[in-house]
């Protein structure tokens, strides 16, 4: 600059001057090949790696063969539930049946199923066998009618030589009935002649013993059913196709019906199976066995303050709480206890790991402990603990201690001890030695040097890392719980294995998210307060 070099004036080079310099010294301005084409090379490598990954992992095949219908059903089960009645007409009369453990209770009578009485023809199959005559003895001399056997008695019925005598069977089985004959018996009487299942809007199924009619999206589909011949035949006009929401994979077999978020159904030769879907979680507060189940929210609140006593010797409020916690379908009390176990597992495992890793990290730090042998032994010990994944430790301790929170605490303790030891020792190796030397210069003992010259520098970092791992271990404890280490993870795995209780899975996932969110805010507040106090002290 002019101030730095008096007598020189700064001026901007003209383009011609720049071109002449480049021509005089081309090697100084020539960029290497890898620098000139670095962006293009990086983009090409990324594209090639992506193509290779798609080929190596067969991603296109996986996506094309994925059962997206089942995945959509599982996701729908997170926020809705199904009622599954069967409309049975095999006997010629309509019978509405529900599963044994229906969300509607022991005697369900939903408003969206209507039945009509009328004249029905009951059909039953009867099996009869034609009698077969016993083989004749002809003119055998052993026959009672033969002159050779006549002894002046009226007959040889009671003689051991009689054809009916066991002594004359000679190992031959007695004559059996003739071939079976099937006959159809019909009886006309008054009974349930039809059933109508409403799916909301204009979607409904009308079932009779011989014909099932389906209405959906302004279309109508009529299906003839024959319970005797086991046949299902859609009644279509010549050249007409099945509606897009109906499908029959093979002629004469069941017809699949899909009504979107309202549910689905299957028309079979002897019954119509219905899956009626409703938004929400069924019986979340009370199961069908609770006296509060049929009440509305207003009636429940009124029963607490002004209603008559429902359970003898117990207030309605206490009975309501007991029935809520003991809900057989949602098991609130058990889920919350398992969630508390998960929290305790994460806290205790993390706390023990910090207590053990904190002093050991001073022996692993090269600037604190000068013995290289001690450094290497402690560091390799940390490597061993953290190189084995927490899930593997959980499997090991589950075999050692049995299923339960002790196995989970041990798995978190072992894994985090190795991780904390590595992080803490590296933090110690990067401290400012000036503070330590200052404390040492006043004649402080080695323990005091570490207490006042080292710990104040690393304490915020140690606390921040411990709080973060406490929050992270709350999520990890859920995973290791699925392999038997206790906590809510085991409940979550049990609900997922049934492939039917996905609303329970959603419930537990939401609880875990709330706990993680709460702990995240708590740990952030503690870290900010600790770091703020440290900055104020400085």
């Amino acid at each position: 600059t002019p101030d730095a070099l008096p007598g020189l004036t700064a001026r901007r080079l003209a383009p011609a001057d720049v071109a002449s310099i480049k021509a005089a010294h081309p090697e100084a301005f020539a960029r290497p090949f890898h620098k000139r084409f670095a962006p293009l090379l990086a983009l090409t490598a990324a594209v090639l790696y992506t193509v290779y990954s798609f080929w190596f992992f067969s991603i296109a095949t996986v996506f094309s063969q994925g059962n997206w219908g089942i995945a959509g059903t599982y996701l729908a089960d997170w926020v809705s539930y199904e009622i599954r009645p069967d409309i049975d007409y095999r006997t010629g009369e309509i019978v509405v049946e529900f599963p044994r453990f229906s969300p509607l209770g022991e005697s369900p009578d939903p408003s969206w199923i209507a039945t009509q009485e009328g004249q029905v023809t009951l059909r039953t199959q009867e099996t009869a066998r034609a009698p077969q005559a016993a083989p004749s003895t002809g003119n055998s001399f052993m026959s009672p009618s033969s002159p050779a056997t006549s002894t002046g008695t009226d007959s040889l019925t009671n003689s051991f030589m009689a054809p009916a005598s066991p002594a004359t069977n000679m190992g031959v089985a007695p004559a059996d009935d003739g071939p079976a004959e099937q006959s159809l018996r019909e009886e006309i009487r008054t009974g349930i002649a039809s059933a109508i299942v409403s799916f909301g809007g204009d979607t409904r199924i009308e079932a009779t013993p011989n014909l099932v009619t389906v209405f959906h999206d302004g279309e109508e589909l009529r299906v003839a059913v024959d319970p005797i011949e086991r046949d299902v035949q859609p009644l279509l006009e010549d050249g007409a196709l099945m509606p897009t929401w109906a499908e029959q994979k093979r002629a004469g077999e069941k017809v699949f019906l899909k009504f979107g978020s309202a549910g689905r159904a299957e028309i079979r030769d002897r019954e119509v199976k219905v899956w009626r879907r409703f938004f929400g979680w069924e019986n979340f507060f009370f199961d069908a066995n609770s006296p509060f189940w049929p009440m509305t929210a207003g009636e429940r609140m009124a029963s607490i303050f002004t209603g008559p006593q429902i359970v003898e010797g117990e207030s309605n409020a206490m009975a309501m709480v007991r029935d809520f916690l003991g809900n057989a379908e949602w098991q609130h009390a058990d889920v919350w206890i398992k969630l508390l176990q998960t929290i305790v597992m994460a806290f205790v495992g993390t706390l023990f790991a910090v207590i053990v890793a904190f002093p050991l990290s001073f022996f692993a730090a090269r600037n604190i402990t000068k013995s290289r042998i001690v450094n290497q032994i402690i560091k390799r010990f940390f490597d061993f603990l953290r190189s084995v994944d927490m899930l593997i430790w959980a499997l090991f301790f589950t075999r050692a201690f049995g299923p339960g929170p002790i196995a989970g605490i041990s798995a978190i303790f072992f894994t985090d001890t190795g991780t904390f030891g590595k992080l803490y020792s590296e933090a110690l190796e990067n401290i400012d030695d000036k503070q330590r030397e200052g404390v040492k210069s006043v004649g402080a003992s080695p323990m005091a040097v570490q207490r006042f010259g080292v710990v104040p520098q690393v304490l915020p970092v140690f606390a921040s890392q411990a709080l973060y791992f406490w929050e992270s271990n709350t999520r990890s404890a859920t995973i290791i719980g699925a392999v038997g280490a206790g906590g809510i993870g085991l409940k979550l795995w049990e609900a997922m294995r049934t492939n039917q209780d996905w609303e329970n899975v959603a419930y537990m996932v939401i609880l875990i998210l709330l706990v993680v969110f709460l702990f995240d805010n708590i740990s952030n507040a503690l870290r900010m307060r600790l770091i703020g106090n440290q900055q104020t002290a400085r």
Side-chain angles (χ1 to χ4, degrees), residues 240-256:
L241 299 176
M242 295 269 285
T244 56
W245 40 266
E247 178 187 9
Q248 186 179 36
K249 296 182 178 180
R250 283 181 289 272
E253 296 188 359
K254 56 188 175 183
V255 174
F256 298 89

Side-chain angles (χ1 to χ4, degrees), residues 78-341:
W78 282 50
V79 296
S80 61
Y81 65 96
E82 290 179 336
I83 306 296
R84 304 172 183 176
D86 295 338
I87 313 301
D88 194 310
Y89 39 71
R90 70 185 65 193
T91 63
E93 182 181 10
I94 297 295
V95 178
V96 181
E97 299 175 337
F98 287 84
R100 180 181 178 185
F101 300 104
S102 173
L104 301 180
E106 295 182 356
S107 302
D109 185 20
S111 59
W112 44 274
I113 297 182
T115 57
Q116 294 180 351
E117 288 190 352
Q119 195 175 63
V120 298
T121 302
L122 297 181
R123 299 182 297 266
T124 55
Q125 289 277 7
E126 293 185 348
T127 303
R129 292 184 179 271
Q132 184 175 356
S136 175
T137 56
N139 293 322
S140 171
F141 74 96
M142 291 296 188
S143 175
S145 59
S146 175
T149 60
S150 179
T151 58
T153 58
D154 294 335
S155 66
L156 289 178
T157 303
N158 297 323
S159 171
F160 75 96
M161 302 299 284
S165 174
T168 61
N169 283 337
M170 301 301 181
V172 180
D176 197 358
D177 292 337
E181 294 182 358
Q182 297 286 342
S183 62
L184 181 63
R185 181 174 177 269
E186 295 184 351
E187 177 187 355
I188 300 177
R189 68 177 180 85
T190 300
I192 305 298
S194 65
I196 301 176
V197 182
S198 175
F199 286 80
D202 65 341
T203 302
R204 67 184 187 276
I205 297 176
E206 299 179 0
T208 64
N210 300 109
L211 180 67
V212 178
T213 307
V214 187
F215 301 90
H216 181 61
D217 282 348
E219 297 180 283
E220 177 182 346
L221 174 64
R222 300 169 69 243
V223 181
V225 292
D226 190 341
I228 303 299
E229 299 295 333
R230 309 295 297 271
D231 187 46
V232 179
Q233 291 296 335
L235 303 178
L236 303 174
E237 297 180 359
D238 294 339
L241 299 176
M242 295 269 285
T244 56
W245 40 266
E247 178 187 9
Q248 186 179 36
K249 296 182 178 180
R250 283 181 289 272
E253 296 188 359
K254 56 188 175 183
V255 174
F256 298 89
L257 307 173
K258 298 179 181 180
F259 304 133
S261 60
R264 57 193 176 95
E266 293 179 4
I267 302 177
R268 301 186 179 184
D269 50 19
R270 296 187 175 185
E271 63 183 351
V272 176
K273 299 189 74 67
V274 176
W275 289 266
R276 178 74 164 88
R277 187 171 291 278
F278 297 89
F279 181 77
W281 292 344
E282 83 279 11
N283 303 343
F284 179 75
F285 294 100
F286 304 101
D287 58 33
N289 297 321
S290 171
F292 302 99
W293 176 69
M295 298 182 181
T296 63
E299 292 173 342
R300 291 167 184 166
M301 292 300 298
S303 68
I304 295 177
F305 301 102
T306 61
Q309 189 178 40
I310 297 177
V311 180
E312 185 178 356
E314 188 176 26
S315 66
N316 290 347
M318 290 302 300
M320 195 174 294
V321 171
R322 175 178 52 78
D323 286 358
F324 172 76
L325 296 177
N327 189 323
E329 297 182 24
W330 290 89
Q331 303 176 12
H332 297 293
D334 192 36
V335 169
W336 292 356
I337 290 174
K338 294 297 190 296
L339 182 63
L340 181 61
Q341 285 183 357

